[in-house]
């Protein structure tokens, strides 16, 4: 009897878990364009599918009607939610998903007040463009495709990536840890206010340009450009140099924050 009860409990848990995930096959898709105003956690997978899972399990129920009175009748029963940003075609999950050619557009229709974070998985070699809106943040791990990421207030954090990467932050910190640095296209990382912390392998070939009104800290040995045998010291706040005789262009700019460039 005890075993039967445990089995029923397990099946019930699985059904509940399945309801909290949305999956989409990525056949023919080479780039995913994602937008949401919440904390977005992206992890890589070897499966050719998009999986979206919300983070409500770690938080109290967001809806007031359920929190205040769990026995109260769900007024949503029999009705369909509609949003100004488009039609929900994810079985009530609150996203609009549209494929145009080989690009998949994934738009979160819910506001930042209705989300408590998203956990998303994509193939590790997928090209990704992600926008966290005004208050959202981005965490990414394990991707080898081309990445574009933007946020306003929230931070942007990446681990075990290769690039090419384009990051555009405003207030939030930027923290990127490269497994290796792709030589296929330039890398651009910028923020207006906060610090930028980048770690790259010691053998990375790169043409560097680092620009800030703050200070640059590094444990690389830079070869500074010289003019007529003298070191070039100008009024510009850019540091231009090469690593390992040069390679892909890496441009890092923080208008006000420090830049940390670390050797791995």
């Amino acid at each position: 009897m005890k075993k039967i009860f445990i089995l029923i409990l397990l099946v019930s848990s699985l059904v509940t878990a399945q309801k909290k995930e949305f999956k989409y096959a990525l056949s023919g898709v080479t780039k995913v364009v994602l937008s949401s105003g919440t904390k977005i956690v992206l992890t890589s997978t070897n499966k050719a599918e998009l999986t979206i899972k919300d983070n409500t399990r770690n938080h109290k129920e967001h809806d007031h009607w359920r929190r205040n009175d769990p026995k109260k009748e769900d007024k949503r029963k029999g009705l369909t939610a509609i949003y100004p940003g488009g039609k929900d075609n994810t079985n009530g999950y609150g996203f609009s998903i549209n494929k145009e050619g080989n690009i998949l557009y994934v738009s979160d229709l819910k506001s930042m007040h209705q989300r408590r974070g998203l956990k998303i998985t994509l193939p590790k070699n997928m090209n990704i463009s992600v926008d966290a809106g005004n208050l959202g943040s981005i965490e990414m791990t394990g991707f080898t495709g081309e990445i574009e990421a933007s946020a306003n207030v929230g931070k942007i954090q990446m681990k075990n990536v290769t690039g090419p990467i384009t990051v555009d932050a405003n207030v939030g910190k930027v923290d990127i840890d490269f497994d290796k640095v792709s030589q296929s296209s330039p890398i651009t990382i910028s923020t207006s206010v906060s610090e930028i912390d980048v770690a790259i392998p010691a053998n990375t070939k790169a043409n560097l340009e680092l620009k800030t009104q703050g200070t640059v800290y590094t444990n690389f040995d830079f070869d500074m450009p010289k003019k007529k045998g003298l070191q070039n010291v100008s009024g510009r706040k850019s540091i231009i140099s090469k690593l390992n005789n040069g390679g892909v262009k890496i441009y890092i700019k923080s208008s006000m924050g420090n830049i940390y460039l670390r050797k791995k």
Side-chain angles (χ1 to χ4, degrees):
M1 187 65 185
K2 185 178 179 180
K3 291 182 178 179
I4 294 175
F5 175 75
I6 293 174
L7 180 62
I8 293 173
L9 186 63
L10 177 62
V11 171
S12 176
S13 300
L14 289 173
V15 171
T16 301
Q18 288 170 354
K19 289 181 179 177
K20 293 183 178 181
E21 282 189 356
F22 175 81
K23 295 185 178 182
Y24 184 96
L26 293 174
S27 176
V29 175
T30 60
K31 182 175 183 178
V32 172
V33 179
L34 170 67
S35 61
S36 177
T38 189
K39 178 180 179 180
I40 306 167
V41 179
L42 286 144
T43 54
S44 63
T45 177
N46 292 323
K47 297 180 180 178
E49 66 180 16
L50 160 75
T51 301
I52 303 175
K53 184 177 181 181
D54 65 31
N55 203 27
T56 55
R57 189 175 63 175
N58 297 326
H59 300 273
K60 293 181 178 179
E61 178 59 54
H62 187 63
D63 294 330
H64 293 289
W65 68 269
R66 189 186 294 276
R67 184 171 65 234
N68 295 334
D69 186 357
K71 296 181 180 178
K72 189 174 181 178
E73 183 182 0
D74 187 355
K75 292 185 176 182
R76 301 171 298 187
K77 189 175 182 179
L79 305 178
T80 300
I82 58 174
Y83 303 90
K87 183 180 180 181
D88 179 0
N89 55 2
T90 57
N91 298 324
Y93 214 78
F95 280 83
S96 171
I97 294 184
N98 295 294
K99 184 181 176 185
E100 297 182 10
N102 58 358
I103 301 177
L104 188 73
Y105 294 89
V106 182
S107 302
D108 191 351
L109 300 174
K110 293 188 175 182
S111 73
M112 63 179 185
H113 304 291
Q114 296 173 300
R115 294 285 188 199
R116 296 297 183 92
L118 292 168
K119 295 181 178 179
I120 296 174
T121 59
L122 286 168
K124 65 181 301 181
N125 61 347
M126 180 63 67
N127 299 319
I128 302 169
S129 177
V130 54
D131 182 356
N134 193 34
L135 297 177
S137 61
I138 299 168
E139 291 183 18
M140 304 181 72
T141 303
F143 289 99
T144 60
E146 186 170 345
I147 298 173
E148 301 167 358
S150 62
N152 185 18
V153 176
K155 67 180 181 181
I156 297 176
Q157 184 176 26
M158 299 181 190
K159 294 181 180 179
N160 303 330
V161 293
T162 65
I165 287 175
T166 301
V167 167
D168 182 15
N170 187 20
V171 180
K173 296 168 56 178
V174 177
D175 190 341
I176 303 178
D177 189 328
F178 285 84
D179 257 357
K180 64 178 183 179
V181 175
S182 171
Q183 298 288 313
S184 62
S185 296
I187 292 170
T188 301
I189 303 166
S190 67
T191 181
S192 297
V193 178
S194 294
E195 66 183 36
I196 298 175
D197 196 321
V198 176
I200 60 177
N203 62 354
T204 298
K205 295 180 178 294
N207 291 345
L208 285 175
E209 181 175 356
L210 312 176
K211 188 174 184 179
T212 179
Q213 296 291 331
T215 303
V216 175
Y217 297 92
T218 185
N219 52 357
F220 279 99
D221 293 325
F222 280 10
D223 291 327
M224 301 298 290
K226 295 181 180 180
K227 189 175 183 179
K228 294 181 180 179
L230 302 175
Q231 185 146 317
N232 183 11
V233 179
S234 70
R236 295 183 307 171
K237 294 295 182 181
S238 292
I239 296 173
I240 298 175
S241 185
K242 293 182 178 180
L243 295 179
N244 300 305
N245 297 317
V248 70
K249 175 70 178 294
I250 299 179
Y251 177 64
I252 304 176
K253 175 187 174 184
S254 175
S255 298
M256 299 175 63
N258 292 338
I259 293 174
Y260 303 88
L261 182 62
R262 305 177 190 274
K263 183 195 306 182
K264 293 177 64 180

